[in-house]
Amino acid sequence: MQETDHAITYAFEGDFDDATFAVETAIVGKGLVIDYVSHTGAMLERTKADVGSDVKIYDAADIFLFCSAQISREVMEADPMNISFCPYGIFVTDKDGEVRVGYSKYPEGDMQKVQALLDEIVQEAVAD
């Protein structure tokens, strides 16, 4: 596990496609529906010249966006402004052959329920 001020990531033993499949399987396996998959790595690569850069940030990077009706209701009943954290995301990155799976850190309090769910999903994905 690696932790920064704003994210927690885990190494994935395998390639990017296997990691994205494992994440998708872990999310769906919890009975959750993936709302959207953002192909952020492809967008960054496609637009780098347009913004005056020649830096390749990732070999690949996707973000899976989804919600949990049960946990979302719990955290938003506690504080309706917790809507600002929804949908939740799990990202998969490949940089120089190092594949990582992670999520954003959430504030202390009720949002730790979401963080615990994300950590459970990520750990399941990297264990497969």
Side-chain angles (χ1 to χ4, degrees), residues 28-62:
V28 172
K30 294 282 186 209
L32 304 171
V33 175
I34 297 168
D35 295 320
Y36 182 71
V37 178
S38 174
H39 303 289
T40 306
M43 178 275 300
L44 290 168
E45 185 63 21
R46 184 181 65 251
T47 61
K48 70 182 180 184
D50 298 334
V51 298
S53 178
D54 63 356
V55 176
K56 183 172 189 165
I57 301 171
Y58 300 107
D59 296 317
D62 285 351

Side-chain angles (χ1 to χ4, degrees), residues 4-19:
T4 68
D5 288 341
H6 57 278
I8 295 174
T9 65
Y10 292 85
F12 183 86
E13 297 299 323
D15 66 21
F16 180 80
D17 290 336
D18 289 342

Side-chain angles (χ1 to χ4, degrees), residues 4-119:
T4 68
D5 288 341
H6 57 278
I8 295 174
T9 65
Y10 292 85
F12 183 86
E13 297 299 323
D15 66 21
F16 180 80
D17 290 336
D18 289 342
T20 58
F21 181 76
V23 167
E24 181 177 356
T25 301
I27 293 169
V28 172
K30 294 282 186 209
L32 304 171
V33 175
I34 297 168
D35 295 320
Y36 182 71
V37 178
S38 174
H39 303 289
T40 306
M43 178 275 300
L44 290 168
E45 185 63 21
R46 184 181 65 251
T47 61
K48 70 182 180 184
D50 298 334
V51 298
S53 178
D54 63 356
V55 176
K56 183 172 189 165
I57 301 171
Y58 300 107
D59 296 317
D62 285 351
I63 305 169
F64 292 82
L65 300 172
F66 59 94
C67 260
S68 162
Q70 179 180 350
I71 292 176
S72 294
R73 174 160 291 283
E74 288 176 27
V75 301
M76 288 179 214
E77 282 183 0
D79 180 353
M81 287 298 100
N82 283 336
I83 193 171
S84 66
F85 297 107
C86 197
Y88 315 123
I90 293 177
F91 57 86
V92 180
T93 62
D94 180 350
K95 184 166 177 59
D96 302 325
E98 181 182 3
V99 178
R100 300 200 67 81
V101 180
Y103 55 89
S104 296
K105 290 170 68 174
Y106 289 89
E108 292 301 319
D110 292 302
M111 289 306 295
Q112 286 302 297
K113 293 175 186 175
V114 174
Q115 187 165 317
L117 172 67
L118 297 179
D119 196 69

